[in-house]
Amino acid sequence: MENLDEYQKSRQAAAERRRLARKDTRMARPGKRRGSCLLRLFILLLFLAALAAGLGWFGFNLVTAKYSKYAEEFNLEDINNLDHPCIIYDRNQEEIGRIYDENRSYVTYDKISENMINALVAQEDKTFWTHHGYDPMGIARAAKETLSNRGQANQGASTITQQLARNAYDLEDRVKAMGGSRWERKIVEIFLARRIEDKYDKRQIMEFYLNRVCFGRGFYGIRSASLGYYGKEPADLSVKEAASIAALIKNPENYNPIKNPELNRRWRNDVLDRMERSGMLTHDQVEQIKPEPLDLNPKPLRRNVSFLHTLIQQKAIDIFQDPKRGEEIIKSRGIKIYTTIDRRTQEAAELALKEQLEKVEQHEGYSHVRYNETSDPRCQQHRYIDGAVFVVDNKTGGTLAYVGGRGFDRDNFDIIESGRRPLGTAMLPFLYLCAFDNGYTPCSRLLDDAMDNRLAGIGGSEGVLGEWGMEVGKGRYLDSITARQGLEWSKIAASARLGITLCSNPERGAKCFVETLEKAGITPPQRIASSTEAKPQFYPRAFLGAEPASLKEVTMAYTMFPNTGRRPIGSYVISKITDSAGKILWENPLAVSHKMASSTSPCNAYRIHNILRESMEKGSAQRVRPYLPDNFNGAVKTGTNYDFSDTAAFAYTSALTCGVWVGYLNDHQPIYAEAFASDTCAPILGKVLAATRESGFKDVPVRRPADTEEVEICRMSGQVATNFCFESVMRDGKPTYVRPTYLEYFPKGDMTLGICPVHGDGSPSLMDFLDMSAGQMNSTHVLPVLPVLPKGKVLTGTDPYGADTEFQPRYTCPEDLGDAASSAEGVDTVEDPEEPAGPKVDSTIELPPPPTLRNLPLLPLEI
């Protein structure tokens, strides 16, 4: 107990001492006590603030958790998944067009002008290089503006990174679809912008943004806008040009410099002021630029809405089979389509057709609605004159030029792909080819006489069938002509009779004509309803080209003539398709195999070719010759329909074939009186062929097939000439002997034609014993025989036939005769361009007055 009492007393004493010590301390240092209280208060407030911040942060995270989580769902690898346009290339890998929903061409950061970067930063996000995706101060300013304007936002707070997030992932529509508000979308933008800043550096973000943003007029991305407004690459943009483009971002359509140049200039100057405030430009620089004009120079990346590009797009979609998927791939995946088109030829064809149709509309006799008279109801009904041009490669069938009509924006009906029009006498080569395939030869005789129009079934009118195929004002009949002359001059009545004869087979009807067309790849015309497929019958007008035909099919059919009987199995325009990296997605089998189909024998194809060549020199196509390039080695066939409402022309070289049509789609009146194809189509042909030469397409002579030989034919009998085939004619007032022959083409060894019965039976003659080759004899056309001349007057009275001549020797010895034979020039038959070629009749030769008997000469007999 004592110990306990002592222990308690000691504890009390210690407590009293501590109390006295504290009392003394307070009395001695009153300031320290107040400091201690403040410290405790600060600690308490700090604790409360931390607690509030923690609770606020917890609450913020609780409220925004769903937005943050939603922002985490986006794959940042997809941030630059742009709708890349499909690029179309020609045969030389030159860009000729684009297919897209958004006109865009990607460009890397290092190929963008620093002026453009500065203008964009000054205009849209001056803290871009320092913030982490969003700008708190900018958000505060925007909130203040919104509150002061009663909820109406007059100032944006989105950084470039936020705008990229919104555009790349379509946040506006996504959040709206979820029922979210504008502010909720902003929160998602902030979270997504922070993620973007964590993954990509500033230069990458700027590159992504400038290649995605819309700059108005359908220009997406800086390169599209730079070319579209100022015709230069982004790396070459000046300060004023960059400021003009940067001003577009706030209102791309309304501020664009082409639509509203003055408004764009004002906003451009506002961007310049911002650049000055940001220290990017000096005041003097800004003041110097502000008065300057915009200086626009639009050279946009072409979307190319045309017949050609629509065809390419549709063919590409068909390749991918699923139309919806195919269209999506073409317009957004950046694929590359390589075509067979030759850009230079395509542009020449488009321009030539446009200029020629305008020229036709200015012709004195033209009375139809014109293309530019858009207010006329007839123009809206497509009753203006139209045309088409189609060019193909002879060996591959690849399309080199494709102009499906006059104006795609006016009417997108494709004449080449979908149209069928009467091609007139351009169809005659296939009638004559049918004849040659069925036993006729170019020497076969045809009746060329007047024919009842009702028999031909053209137009249903009575009267005599006209001779419009000759393409002269007044054609005439020649009674009897060869098949060569019939095609050479596009004789209508003779050709109609030929067709009737060919198709009069009691068992097969016109089956031979159908077979010829089908082998050529041409869809036969509609047969008479009462006939059968096994024994088809046609009105004679079908043989004359008065029935509708496809320009595409007929152009392809003409390739058989330079190919000596073979043609490509089909035409195509797309050779291959690759992805953006160059990996081949599809390759056209036709572009690899170049398969050909046999349409006729090489000899018959060459016969037609040779006749068409002659037609340019002295037949119905001779008026086309001035439009053709120099040293043209191909051939041309014009085609005029009976009512002059449709004209066509086809030309080919050894490398390519071109088809042209000019006429009306919805009208059947003459273009103008006597509107021949040599007037309407020939100028287009000439310009297109000239362009193909500039593009490097060779034009070499078509070689005679190995199975074909030249045969000399006597004009008088139409059979193989003998050494006795000579005729006496007067030339330059002197009697001469000429060899009335020409060269024709037959299969080697063909002896069916027979020997000329008019001039002899083929027995040996003096020419067989001369020291001259047959080639030399035929090339010189001089019979190297000294004539036996009278020594004196042999007639009494008048001499109406020039039997007596003056004696003026040309040769003094046989050697002179040999020299003359080797150097004499050939005597060519000169054809009247207004008259068809035909046999020369002696009665048409005008005889000179009878000469005297003095000085009778020795004359060579010219052949």
Side-chain angles (χ1 to χ4, degrees):
M1 291 294 293
E2 292 179 357
N3 291 337
L4 180 60
D5 292 338
E6 290 177 359
Y7 176 71
Q8 289 178 344
K9 288 178 181 180
S10 65
R11 288 187 63 185
Q12 290 175 357
E16 181 65 18
R17 286 195 297 273
R18 287 194 295 274
R19 185 182 66 78
L20 293 174
R22 287 195 297 272
K23 183 177 179 182
D24 292 342
T25 301
R26 287 195 298 270
M27 293 178 66
R29 300 174 63 186
K32 288 185 178 182
R33 183 182 176 204
R34 289 194 299 273
S36 176
C37 291
L38 291 174
L39 178 61
R40 288 174 181 156
L41 179 60
F42 175 74
I43 293 172
L44 177 62
L45 292 174
L46 186 62
F47 172 77
L48 292 175
L51 179 62
L55 292 173
W57 181 252
F58 177 78
F60 177 79
N61 283 336
L62 186 65
V63 172
T64 61
K66 63 177 183 179
Y67 305 114
S68 176
K69 184 178 180 180
Y70 182 56
E72 293 288 339
E73 294 178 3
F74 295 100
N75 184 0
L76 296 186
E77 299 293 337
D78 296 336
I79 192 171
N80 208 31
N81 281 357
L82 301 170
D83 285 346
H84 294 281
C86 165
I87 312 298
I88 304 173
Y89 297 95
D90 79 341
R91 62 194 301 270
N92 298 314
Q93 298 189 13
E94 295 183 24
E95 182 178 329
I96 58 172
R98 294 172 167 240
I99 302 173
Y100 52 79
D101 280 332
E102 296 179 352
N103 186 1
R104 178 184 286 109
S105 179
Y106 200 87
V107 60
T108 56
Y109 180 89
D110 60 319
K111 295 182 179 179
I112 302 173
S113 166
E114 184 179 358
N115 296 325
M116 187 67 235
I117 303 296
N118 290 338
L120 178 64
V121 170
Q123 171 70 5
E124 293 296 313
D125 186 4
K126 65 181 180 180
T127 62
F128 171 74
W129 300 108
T130 57
H131 65 60
H132 191 64
Y134 64 100
D135 181 8
M137 296 302 295
I139 294 173
R141 287 194 301 270
K144 178 182 177 183
E145 287 290 330
T146 301
L147 292 174
S148 63
N149 288 281
R150 298 180 180 180
Q152 298 296 323
N154 290 336
Q155 179 176 334
S158 295
T159 63
I160 287 176
T161 313
Q162 285 179 259
Q163 293 180 47
L164 174 62
R166 179 169 66 244
N167 294 330
Y169 298 99
D170 197 16
L171 292 184
E172 192 165 349
D173 289 340
R174 286 173 181 260
V175 174
K176 187 176 181 180
M178 297 169 59
S181 66
R182 175 172 174 267
W183 295 108
E184 289 176 303
R185 188 252 299 165
K186 287 283 188 182
I187 296 172
V188 176
E189 277 182 18
I190 292 172
F191 282 113
L192 188 53
R194 291 179 58 187
R195 290 188 61 211
I196 293 171
E197 293 273 353
D198 290 337
K199 183 172 179 63
Y200 299 104
D201 63 38
K202 293 290 186 179
R203 289 165 61 95
Q204 289 175 301
I205 293 172
M206 181 63 76
E207 178 181 313
F208 296 158
Y209 179 85
L210 279 173
N211 280 288
R212 179 177 291 275
V213 69
C214 176
F215 290 98
R217 292 188 69 83
F219 300 145
Y220 287 82
I222 183 58
R223 184 168 187 263
S224 180
S226 178
L227 293 170
Y229 292 121
Y230 293 103
K232 57 176 61 177
E233 293 293 335
D236 302 324
L237 288 173
S238 64
V239 172
K240 71 173 184 178
E241 293 163 347
S244 171
I245 293 175
L248 295 169
I249 296 176
K250 290 189 179 297
N251 195 330
E253 292 303 330
N254 196 35
Y255 294 172
N256 89 71
I258 294 177
K259 180 181 178 181
N260 294 311
E262 186 56 34
L263 187 59
N264 177 266
R265 196 177 75 85
R266 293 208 310 265
W267 280 99
R268 177 202 70 181
N269 292 345
D270 179 72
V271 174
L272 294 173
D273 289 335
R274 290 172 181 267
M275 295 177 73
E276 179 187 352
R277 291 196 294 269
S278 298
M280 300 171 182
L281 296 175
T282 65
H283 179 74
D284 291 341
Q285 288 175 319
V286 171
E287 292 303 314
Q288 181 181 355
I289 296 173
K290 278 185 175 181
E292 293 183 8
L294 295 175
D295 294 329
L296 298 174
N297 183 28
K299 296 180 181 178
L301 296 169
R302 299 178 62 191
R303 179 169 187 159
N304 301 93
V305 179
S306 69
F307 291 101
L308 171 62
H309 296 89
T310 300
L311 174 74
I312 293 172
Q313 178 176 336
Q314 189 56 54
K315 295 291 185 184
I317 291 173
D318 293 343
I319 288 169
F320 290 102
Q321 297 180 349
D322 183 350
K324 185 175 182 181
R325 179 174 175 271
E327 186 170 5
E328 186 271 331
I329 291 173
I330 291 169
K331 291 185 176 180
S332 63
R333 301 290 182 84
I335 67 172
K336 299 177 180 180
I337 299 179
Y338 294 88
T339 72
T340 59
I341 295 296
D342 181 75
R343 180 185 60 80
R344 182 173 293 175
T345 304
Q346 176 69 26
E347 292 175 352
E350 291 174 353
L351 181 60
L353 180 65
K354 176 179 179 293
E355 292 179 345
Q356 179 60 16
L357 294 183
E358 290 175 351
K359 184 177 179 181
V360 169
E361 289 179 335
Q362 301 306 315
H363 192 276
E364 182 180 357
Y366 188 86
S367 60
H368 299 264
V369 64
R370 290 172 172 78
Y371 183 74
N372 59 3
E373 296 173 348
T374 55
S375 59
D376 193 311
R378 295 176 299 169
C379 192
Q380 300 169 8
Q381 297 166 3
H382 201 146
R383 295 177 65 183
Y384 50 81
I385 191 167
D386 212 328
V389 182
F390 183 54
V391 187
V392 295
D393 187 296
N394 289 340
K395 302 302 181 184
T396 67
T399 301
L400 301 177
Y402 189 102
V403 186
R406 185 172 187 178
F408 184 86
D409 54 341
R410 185 75 61 81
D411 191 336
N412 58 12
F413 179 78
D414 190 333
I415 297 168
I416 298 174
E417 191 71 11
S418 306
R420 296 180 65 84
R421 298 299 303 167
L423 301 180
T425 48
M427 298 298 292
L428 289 183
F430 305 103
L431 171 66
Y432 284 83
L433 179 63
C434 176
F436 297 162
D437 285 341
N438 288 273
Y440 283 71
T441 74
C443 304
S444 299
R445 308 300 296 186
L446 306 177
L447 176 60
D448 183 33
D449 200 358
M451 184 177 183
D452 193 328
N453 192 45
R454 292 172 295 182
L455 181 60
I458 291 182
S461 58
E462 298 182 359
V464 176
L465 187 64
E467 285 293 336
W468 65 86
M470 298 175 67
E471 303 211 359
V472 294
K474 294 181 180 180
R476 69 174 192 172
Y477 300 106
L478 299 175
D479 297 331
S480 177
I481 60 174
T482 63
R484 169 179 283 273
Q485 291 171 315
L487 177 56
E488 191 176 284
W489 274 100
S490 296
K491 299 292 290 180
I492 298 301
S495 299
R497 288 191 177 92
L498 173 62
I500 293 171
T501 304
L502 276 173
C503 301
S504 61
N505 187 298
E507 296 180 357
R508 303 183 71 233
K511 192 68 176 177
C512 62
F513 183 62
V514 171
E515 290 173 349
T516 298
L517 293 180
E518 289 178 342
K519 287 181 182 179
I522 301 173
T523 303
Q526 187 175 0
R527 65 178 187 271
I528 297 175
S530 59
S531 65
T532 64
E533 186 175 350
K535 185 182 175 182
Q537 294 292 338
F538 301 100
Y539 292 111
R541 64 169 179 258
F543 310 132
L544 306 176
E547 295 289 349
S550 165
L551 178 69
K552 181 179 180 180
E553 292 178 353
V554 176
T555 304
M556 289 297 296
Y558 265 88
T559 63
M560 79 169 79
F561 303 128
N563 285 332
T564 57
R566 294 165 60 81
R567 61 175 177 82
I569 61 174
S571 66
Y572 65 97
V573 67
I574 299 177
S575 56
K576 67 178 179 180
I577 298 176
T578 71
D579 62 14
S580 57
K583 180 182 177 181
I584 296 178
L585 303 177
W586 179 84
E587 191 165 15
N588 197 324
L590 294 177
V592 178
S593 64
H594 299 164
K595 289 184 178 179
M596 306 283 280
S598 178
S599 297
T600 187
S601 69
C603 180
N604 285 340
Y606 190 76
R607 282 170 163 174
I608 298 292
H609 163 71
N610 185 261
I611 295 172
L612 296 182
R613 286 278 300 169
E614 288 292 309
S615 179
M616 292 191 305
E617 304 303 327
K618 53 185 179 182
S620 60
Q622 60 185 308
R623 289 168 57 200
V624 179
R625 202 69 176 86
Y627 298 104
L628 301 177
D630 295 336
N631 302 316
F632 178 68
N633 292 307
V636 173
K637 181 68 187 83
T638 56
T640 302
N641 199 27
Y642 72 96
D643 60 358
F644 299 105
S645 64
D646 291 273
T647 56
F650 297 86
Y652 60 80
T653 66
S654 57
L656 55 89
T657 299
C658 175
V660 176
W661 171 82
V662 171
Y664 294 102
L665 284 177
N666 298 321
D667 207 338
H668 298 286
Q669 299 298 317
I671 299 172
Y672 52 79
E674 296 184 355
F676 296 115
S678 12
D679 301 316
T680 60
C681 299
I684 302 172
L685 276 182
K687 292 177 181 178
V688 172
L689 292 173
T692 62
R693 283 198 176 182
E694 294 176 1
S695 293
F697 290 96
K698 294 182 179 179
D699 176 15
V700 299
V702 176
R703 297 181 62 182
R704 190 175 72 208
D707 68 342
T708 304
E709 64 180 348
E710 288 182 339
V711 178
E712 191 177 16
I713 304 297
C714 177
R715 292 184 182 274
M716 305 305 294
S717 65
Q719 294 178 285
V720 179
T722 71
N723 293 335
F724 297 94
C725 291
F726 289 95
E727 290 292 322
S728 175
V729 298
M730 295 295 296
R731 183 165 290 138
D732 297 330
K734 301 173 182 178
T736 58
Y737 281 88
V738 297
R739 190 161 171 81
T741 62
Y742 67 96
L743 295 178
E744 196 52 85
Y745 299 91
F746 284 84
K748 281 186 176 179
D750 186 349
M751 301 297 294
T752 58
L753 191 59
I755 303 299
C756 173
V758 175
H759 299 97
D761 58 0
S763 300
S765 69
L766 180 61
M767 293 177 63
D768 295 307
F769 300 98
L770 295 176
D771 187 18
M772 295 181 65
S773 66
Q776 186 181 15
M777 176 183 67
N778 289 333
S779 64
T780 59
H781 292 266
V782 175
L783 181 62
V785 177
L786 287 171
V788 179
L789 299 176
K791 300 297 184 179
K793 185 176 179 65
V794 297
L795 295 178
T796 59
T798 60
D799 184 14
Y801 298 106
D804 290 340
T805 60
E806 294 182 357
F807 184 76
Q808 294 178 353
R810 293 178 56 186
Y811 307 110
T812 59
C813 63
E815 286 74 14
D816 293 338
L817 179 64
D819 293 339
S822 62
S823 61
E825 296 182 355
V827 180
D828 295 328
T829 302
V830 180
E831 301 288 348
D832 185 346
E834 294 297 327
E835 295 183 0
K840 298 302 181 181
V841 183
D842 289 346
S843 61
T844 63
I845 300 176
E846 183 176 348
L847 296 175
T852 64
L853 288 174
R854 292 190 303 274
N855 301 324
L856 193 65
L858 285 173
L859 296 176
L861 298 182
E862 296 186 3
I863 301 173

